[in-house]
Amino acid sequence: MEFINNPLLCDSGVMNLPEEALQLNTQMLQHEINHPQNISGSSGGSAFNQQFQNTPNSANMAEATPLERKRKADQEYRTRQRETKRKLESDYDKFGVENRNLREAKDNLTREKNEVKEGLESTNNEAKKLKRELSDLKRTGKYLEALVESCSRTLV
C-alpha cells in the first residue's frame, strides 16, 4: 500500500501531524480500502497521493497550507528566540563589563574615602594636640606673668 511509504508517517505508523491531518489521513485510508483500483501504480495515483502532492515545496501551490503556515511560524519563532538569546547574551556581557568597572570604581572610592578619613582623623588629632599645647602655654604664660609681677613688687 502507498501509505506505508508515506513520509508523513512515523515509524510506529502514527501521523506526526495535528488532529485534523489525522482525520484526513483516516478518510484517505478508508477511501483507498474502498477503492483498491487506485492502489496500483496507475498514472492517476490515489486520492491520498493527490492530497499530499501539494506539499509546501510544490511549485503548484498557490497558497500555504496550515501545516506550512505552522512550520513558517515555528521557524520565525525560533529565529526570534535565537535573536533574543543573542541580544540577552550581548547585554549580559556588556553589563558584566560595566558591573566590573563599577565595582572597581566603588573599590577605588572606598579606598579614597578611607584615606581621606584617616587624613581627617590625623588632622583632628593634631588640632586637639595643638589646642592642649596652647592651653598649657597660656597657663604657663599666666603663671609666669604672676611670678614676674610678684618678683617686681618685691624688688621695688
Side-chain angles (χ1 to χ4, degrees):
M1 294 183 130
E2 290 180 82
F3 66 91
I4 292 175
N5 295 326
N6 192 319
L8 297 173
L9 295 177
C10 67
D11 293 336
S12 65
V14 178
M15 294 286 290
N16 261 346
L17 297 174
E19 177 95 15
E20 77 183 40
L22 288 173
Q23 291 172 351
L24 179 63
N25 187 29
T26 305
Q27 291 171 356
M28 292 298 143
L29 290 174
Q30 278 295 343
H31 178 73
E32 286 188 10
I33 290 170
N34 294 335
H35 299 60
Q37 71 277 7
N38 288 336
I39 295 174
S40 67
S42 65
S43 62
S46 70
F48 183 80
N49 261 350
Q50 291 171 1
Q51 167 66 28
F52 289 104
Q53 285 299 317
N54 292 331
T55 61
N57 297 329
S58 176
N60 307 1
M61 188 167 228
E63 201 169 304
T65 64
L67 181 61
E68 183 182 23
R69 286 194 301 270
K70 182 181 181 330
R71 285 181 182 158
K72 185 175 181 179
D74 289 348
Q75 180 64 34
E76 290 171 355
Y77 172 78
R78 288 189 298 272
T79 302
R80 283 193 310 272
Q81 291 300 98
R82 277 192 298 271
E83 289 172 7
T84 301
K85 183 179 177 184
R86 279 189 213 118
K87 184 181 183 316
L88 287 175
E89 287 172 352
S90 170
D91 288 349
Y92 181 78
D93 293 341
K94 179 176 68 174
F95 292 138
V97 169
E98 187 175 342
N99 192 27
R100 282 190 293 280
N101 292 339
L102 289 172
R103 284 181 192 213
E104 289 175 11
K106 178 187 170 203
D107 291 343
N108 290 337
L109 289 173
T110 303
R111 255 187 263 111
E112 231 178 275
K113 180 189 87 168
N114 290 337
E115 290 172 3
V116 169
K117 185 179 178 181
E118 289 172 4
L120 285 174
E121 286 176 354
S122 67
T123 303
N124 194 20
N125 290 339
E126 186 69 27
K128 286 180 183 178
K129 181 181 171 188
L130 290 174
K131 282 183 183 179
R132 276 193 305 270
E133 285 180 14
L134 182 60
S135 170
D136 289 345
L137 287 174
K138 282 182 183 179
R139 196 177 22 206
T140 305
K142 286 181 183 178
Y143 172 74
L144 287 176
E145 265 182 43
L147 186 63
V148 168
E149 200 172 306
S150 79
C151 283
S152 46
R153 279 189 208 159
T154 48
L155 285 178
V156 181

